[in-house]
Amino acid sequence: MQRAGPEEAAGAQAAAGGGSAAPAGRLLRRELRLLESIFHRGHERFRIGSACPDEISCEFVPGTADRAGGSAARGPPPGPVRIHCNITESYPAVPPIWSVESDDPNLAAILERLVEVRRGDTLLLQHLKRIISDLCKLYNLPQHPDVEMLDQPLPAEQSTQEEVSSEEEDEEMPEDSEDLDHYEMKEEEPADGKKMEDEGIGKENLAILEKIKKNQRQDYLNGAVSGSVQATDRLMKELRDIYRSPSFKGGYYAVELVNDSLYDWNVKLLKVRPSRVDEDSALHNDLQILREKEGADFILLNFSFKDNFPFDPPFVRVVSPVLSGGYVLGGGAICMELLTKQGWSSAYSIESVIMQISATLVKGKARVQFGANKNQYSLTRAQQSYKSLVQIHEKNGWYTPPKEDG
């Protein structure tokens, strides 16, 4: 997955300052209504899968029937191009943040060029117009006529008497009360959109997601909001993706929230192998012995996320058991470039990080240190080791092993 750079968005957010968020929120809802009316789920070229005031999921369908000519320089991809958009509560002062589920640099370039789009009240629609047009050019497809419909006037706001009364009450409320819209608007999501969002997730895990939402709302009412809208939205998406993942359902790993915090995860690596088809690794066999001795046959990792996730990596450490090798450092820190700012990309999914750590432990010949002092792993020591690790590699660079070493 790739995304448009956050630097511009961050700068705009800093410059935006105050402003009236409520009118912007109503304007955004009108943009979404227009968007869904044009690019419905049955559209031949571009489809809105789900849309709410802080997140949009959509896909570009290249097809083959209306290719412009038979000798295009670039053919369509094997399937739809899936695109995601995160919208902050400061929109349109802060542009939407786009990402695409692909490592294709041509797709990343399309998102990066969005900074050239002139800002205005309908920035979301103009971004999508540019994205669809550029994708048609990339795959040598004719411009779809429906794209021009994004320039038409927005539909009139549908105001009921109840909404009018609510707006009158909003005028009497302090400005920061608009933050509550972040939670309220998600509850107004259409039933079919929510069904798609929850598809493939077990009842037990759906209950966890609902509990998180309930806790977030209660924290707001208690004046104890933690984290950021951006990080919370992304972490909720990551958790949903994990709950519907075949690897998660297949018992390769498990995820638990520490004290129900979305920003603090314990991850258990349950099946530690170089791949699903290889013979059991030495580490896997060590864990079987550990189960006989201590009743635990997993490696426990802790993922700690900050407010600026996904633009900064999570801090990951081994909690137990004590390991040797496998690029595990003092205190339980892990020596992997992708866990540093230098090697991190906001396009990485948490599941991909989990699976990469599992493979790295095996390829690095990690072994359980039976009888070792368990107190040698701690958050403080891991942070110290990580800091030293970053300083060393910033000076000397990172070693890339030969391909035959994995």
Side-chain angles (χ1 to χ4, degrees), residues 306-322:
K306 294 184 179 180
D307 294 356
N308 52 356
F309 180 80
F311 302 127
D312 276 358
F315 179 70
V316 185
R317 65 187 180 97
V318 177
V319 177
S320 66
V322 176

Side-chain angles (χ1 to χ4, degrees), residues 117-186:
V117 177
R118 184 176 179 180
R119 296 193 181 184
D121 289 341
T122 58
L123 186 58
L124 173 63
L125 300 183
Q126 296 310 309
H127 271 195
L128 274 171
K129 181 179 179 181
R130 179 67 173 269
I131 289 172
I132 299 170
S133 298
D134 284 358
L135 285 171
C136 287
K137 293 177 183 177
L138 177 64
Y139 297 117
N140 197 32
L141 297 167
Q143 293 295 330
H144 199 284
D146 287 352
V147 172
E148 298 304 320
M149 296 176 66
L150 294 173
D151 289 328
Q152 66 179 292
L154 295 177
E157 186 169 7
Q158 300 173 347
S159 297
T160 64
Q161 183 60 42
E162 181 179 347
E163 289 174 335
V164 171
S165 301
S166 176
E167 290 174 9
E168 292 174 352
E169 292 176 2
D170 287 344
E171 294 177 358
E172 300 175 0
M173 296 177 68
E175 290 184 3
D176 61 359
S177 66
E178 184 61 26
D179 292 341
L180 187 56
D181 280 359
H182 173 66
Y183 305 104
E184 290 177 339
M185 288 190 291
K186 281 197 167 183

Side-chain angles (χ1 to χ4, degrees), residues 269-288:
L269 301 182
L270 302 170
K271 297 182 181 179
V272 188
R273 302 175 183 177
S275 76
R276 298 183 184 183
V277 298
D278 290 343
E279 293 295 326
D280 290 350
S281 65
L283 179 57
H284 176 80
N285 294 333
D286 281 353
L287 293 176
Q288 304 311 304

